[in-house]
Amino acid sequence: MSGAGAPAITIDGGADLKVAVVAAQWHTQVMDGLVAGAEKALAEIGAAHDLFRVPGSFELPVVAQAAAGAGYDAVVALGVVIRGGTPHFEYVCAAATDGLNRVAMDSGVPIGFGLLTCDTEEQALDRSGLPGSREDKGREAVEAAVATALVLKKIGAAR
Ligand code: DLZ
């Protein structure tokens, strides 16, 4: 999967939303870029947010679940998993992805999926939003979560 085909998301509103950013800590440099990109996007939208750090990506779903239950309008999950020489990569990616999707479906609170699952650190840096990178996945995850929260609000289905 590549970034080709990604839409330009237009956010119309969102300044009244409260967003939880849940961010893992593995791969510090890439994470710093993702968190900075997410916080910059939220500042531009004008949405209030709180940042919660968890140890690794495996821990993202349980804290996302707590945030969804605590009244946040949207959650943004950020993490980086880089393939190593063992099957650990598959287990952490699957647990984080399935867990985050389950939280979103069970709670009705949208979750921006800012989990990078990469073969190399170079691929992750290229998506980190840091100077010189091609993509800013922290920003993209915020835009997706906020845009979806606004759709749910319009439908009258926001929690
Ligand atoms: C153990 C582990 C490994 C090997 N790699 C990563 C990684 O690339 N990215 C990440 O976010 N977390 C990693 N972890 C930590 C697990 O997500 C988790 O924090 C630990 O297994 C403790 O539950």
Side-chain angles (χ1 to χ4, degrees):
M1 193 180 279
S2 77
I9 305 280
T10 305
I11 307 285
D12 187 13
D16 58 336
L17 297 182
K18 200 173 156 213
V19 178
V21 178
V22 185
Q25 297 181 58
W26 275 66
H27 311 292
T28 315
Q29 188 185 3
V30 181
M31 283 307 307
D32 286 350
L34 293 181
V35 170
E39 291 195 308
K40 188 161 182 274
L42 286 162
E44 289 170 14
I45 292 164
H49 79 276
D50 292 310
L51 173 63
F52 302 102
R53 299 308 295 257
V54 298
S57 296
F58 188 83
E59 284 75 38
L60 290 170
V62 70
V63 176
Q65 179 172 258
Y72 287 92
D73 300 295
V75 176
V76 175
L78 304 175
V80 182
V81 193
I82 297 180
R83 191 183 290 279
T86 71
H88 209 90
F89 175 85
E90 272 78 21
Y91 287 108
V92 173
C93 292
T97 305
D98 295 348
L100 290 170
N101 186 47
R102 198 174 78 212
V103 171
M105 298 305 291
D106 288 352
S107 67
V109 175
I111 299 186
F113 184 66
L115 177 67
L116 303 185
T117 58
C118 299
D119 287 332
T120 64
E121 188 176 20
E122 189 185 12
Q123 288 178 342
L125 283 167
D126 213 19
R127 290 157 177 78
S128 67
L130 290 168
S133 70
R134 281 186 305 127
E135 296 179 86
D136 184 348
K137 294 296 182 187
R139 168 178 291 276
E140 284 181 30
V142 163
E143 290 175 348
V146 168
T148 306
L150 293 173
V151 171
L152 291 171
K153 222 172 167 182
K154 198 168 179 183
I155 293 171
R159 286 246 349 266

